[in-house]
Amino acid sequence: TMIDVLLHCRYLIPVIPENCVLENHSMAITNGAIADLLPRHEAEKKYAGVAAVELDQHIVLPGLINAHGHAAMSLLRGYANDLALMDWLNNHIWPTEAKWVSDTFVFDGAQLAIGEMIKSGTTCFSDMYFFPEATARAASESGMRCQLTFPIFSFPSNWGSGPQEYLEKGLALHDQYRGSERIKIAFGPHAPYTIDDDSLKKIVMLADELDANIQIHLHETAFEVESAVQETGERPVERLRRLGALSPRTQCVHMTALNDDDIHTIREHGCHVIHCPESNLKLASGFCPVDMLQKNGINVAIGTDGAASNDDLDLFAELRTAALLAKAVANDATALAAHAALRMATINGARALGMDNIIGSLEIGKQADIAAVRIDTLCAQPMHDPASSLVYTSSGARVSDVWVSGKRLLNNRELTTLDERELIQRTQQWSEKIQSASTKETTR
């Protein structure tokens, strides 16, 4: 049997079937897909002479899926920290973006984010930001898989004059990548408070025609919900339901301020929830009731949000925070156990993005999107439970190797498609420009 490469794994967590850990198993890869999973001793006989990669000091699992972020905002990491959400957005982030965001800014910021994500085990990400065509180029060149949700506001930005231009540019991008195996384009109405009814109706119509996903920041804070009720008499979830914007293609980001009716509506329409625990904690936005959502049969995935409000894109760190926070919110130490947390960052993310037929688990026929995490370190010893070790220890920094569609993007901690040193230099140049301009404005 002809295959391209054989991975020999100390531990292998396929995610499907659930709660399963395979020991001393091998994975065969051919043409970018998983061709076989079998015990190592059988693989060595069946595939004798095939090139093999020894991962005998590793846990191997599906590549992680970061279901929500703003990649280019990595260039604003650490900028305007320790502020409330609306102050942070209105008085710091949006004015800075208006001054600096461009095609070049987004390309450089996206490359920085992609490099960080690869090095911490992420193989697929969803992004919502200006100049998504630049992020698409960065993802294409790096070999990463992604969903790009082009942003739509009711007001102008550096990327467009208003809803009509955003839609025209986004639809052109959708056409450009229609046949792409790794890049998927979706609609990204920013939030209920930044988009009008007519634009939302048009987005729903176009998304239905193209069978495209919609991702939106929703019920991010109690203040957002209270303001909407005062102004319109409707909670944002109810408004989206009335406008037809809720469906199994809808990805609801944050969802911290929920009541029973909201949860019932989301469940009834088959929507997905994207949980961003560290960003929500840093901006004091609230707590997503993950355990309650999952008990109601709602698919919950996980995202880092942007590095400007996190400040890292390490999805393993996000999982640890999510697991601990879920227990505290539910007042139940059994809430979001280790395997359930791993599902949030793998198969649940794939389901939310509509990619669960090709990624999210290590199954024969699926794409070979894989991460390998070293276990021969002090913080990983002793190895009583591989899944628990991945979720509750510093796993992101121990990712040694990453594959997307069978292509090795990280080889023993070295990026293979990005020049890390050159990328750091470009990033530092942006930091110097932004800091210099801020200093001049302060001293006026």
Side-chain angles (χ1 to χ4, degrees), residues 47-191:
Y47 301 108
V50 172
V53 177
E54 279 291 347
L55 299 171
D56 59 339
Q57 294 295 326
H58 299 74
I59 302 170
V60 176
L61 72 159
L64 303 186
I65 299 170
N66 188 343
H68 176 71
H70 311 284
M73 292 186 81
S74 290
L75 291 180
L76 298 177
R77 191 196 318 266
Y79 185 83
N81 271 342
D82 305 322
L83 298 170
L85 173 62
M86 287 305 164
D87 181 19
W88 178 78
L89 273 178
N90 293 319
N91 301 321
H92 300 274
I93 295 301
W94 283 348
T96 302
E97 288 178 330
K99 183 179 181 69
W100 293 106
V101 169
S102 64
D103 184 274
T104 303
F105 178 99
V106 171
F107 180 81
D108 289 350
Q111 280 205 324
L112 173 64
I114 287 168
E116 180 182 357
M117 286 190 281
I118 292 172
K119 293 196 75 169
S120 52
T122 294
T123 55
C124 177
F125 68 100
S126 180
D127 196 65
M128 181 194 290
Y129 206 62
F130 311 103
F131 297 93
E133 60 272 22
T135 305
R137 292 200 311 274
S140 181
E141 292 180 14
S142 72
M144 276 279 267
R145 193 182 305 279
C146 63
Q147 170 189 266
L148 301 181
T149 64
F150 61 90
I152 307 150
F153 302 86
S154 292
F155 48 81
S157 70
N158 297 32
W159 191 56
S161 58
Q164 186 60 34
E165 187 174 0
Y166 298 136
L167 286 169
E168 289 172 359
K169 288 184 173 181
L171 291 172
L173 192 66
H174 181 276
D175 288 344
Q176 181 180 347
Y177 287 94
R178 188 185 297 272
S180 173
E181 294 181 353
R182 289 186 290 103
I183 298 174
K184 185 175 183 178
I185 307 301
F187 292 82
H190 172 259

Side-chain angles (χ1 to χ4, degrees), residues 98-343:
K99 183 179 181 69
W100 293 106
V101 169
S102 64
D103 184 274
T104 303
F105 178 99
V106 171
F107 180 81
D108 289 350
Q111 280 205 324
L112 173 64
I114 287 168
E116 180 182 357
M117 286 190 281
I118 292 172
K119 293 196 75 169
S120 52
T122 294
T123 55
C124 177
F125 68 100
S126 180
D127 196 65
M128 181 194 290
Y129 206 62
F130 311 103
F131 297 93
E133 60 272 22
T135 305
R137 292 200 311 274
S140 181
E141 292 180 14
S142 72
M144 276 279 267
R145 193 182 305 279
C146 63
Q147 170 189 266
L148 301 181
T149 64
F150 61 90
I152 307 150
F153 302 86
S154 292
F155 48 81
S157 70
N158 297 32
W159 191 56
S161 58
Q164 186 60 34
E165 187 174 0
Y166 298 136
L167 286 169
E168 289 172 359
K169 288 184 173 181
L171 291 172
L173 192 66
H174 181 276
D175 288 344
Q176 181 180 347
Y177 287 94
R178 188 185 297 272
S180 173
E181 294 181 353
R182 289 186 290 103
I183 298 174
K184 185 175 183 178
I185 307 301
F187 292 82
H190 172 259
Y193 56 87
T194 57
I195 192 81
D196 59 274
D197 280 9
D198 288 342
S199 296
L200 263 175
K201 288 178 183 177
K202 193 165 188 178
I203 290 166
V204 170
M205 178 190 70
L206 291 168
D208 285 344
E209 289 178 1
L210 299 173
D211 193 24
N213 294 331
I214 296 174
Q215 185 172 108
I216 184 168
H217 299 91
L218 188 62
H219 283 231
E220 185 170 0
T221 64
F223 175 78
E224 172 199 335
V225 177
E226 291 165 4
S227 298
V229 171
Q230 289 176 4
E231 292 173 15
T232 69
E234 281 182 310
R235 293 173 70 83
V237 160
E238 179 57 24
R239 177 182 166 220
L240 264 61
R241 185 206 62 76
R242 175 174 56 81
L243 295 172
L246 300 181
S247 80
R249 295 193 305 271
T250 307
Q251 304 156 12
C252 308
V253 182
H254 296 303
M255 301 295 275
T256 67
L258 300 175
N259 63 23
D260 290 344
D261 288 341
D262 299 328
I263 293 172
H264 174 78
T265 300
I266 292 298
R267 180 186 62 203
E268 183 181 32
H269 289 81
C271 305
H272 309 272
V273 170
I274 314 298
H275 180 34
C276 302
E278 292 190 353
S279 176
N280 290 341
L281 285 169
K282 186 175 182 184
L283 293 171
S285 297
F287 308 126
C288 178
V290 172
D291 187 55
M292 185 184 301
L293 291 171
Q294 291 186 330
K295 285 178 177 175
N296 275 273
I298 295 169
N299 182 51
V300 182
I302 194 164
T304 58
D305 213 349
S309 62
N310 190 302
D311 292 12
D312 64 62
L313 305 181
D314 181 348
L315 209 52
F316 278 113
E318 205 76 28
L319 280 182
R320 183 175 190 270
T321 301
L324 298 177
L325 187 60
K327 299 174 194 307
V329 170
N331 193 28
D332 180 0
T334 69
L336 200 61
H339 279 282
L342 288 175
R343 289 195 292 274

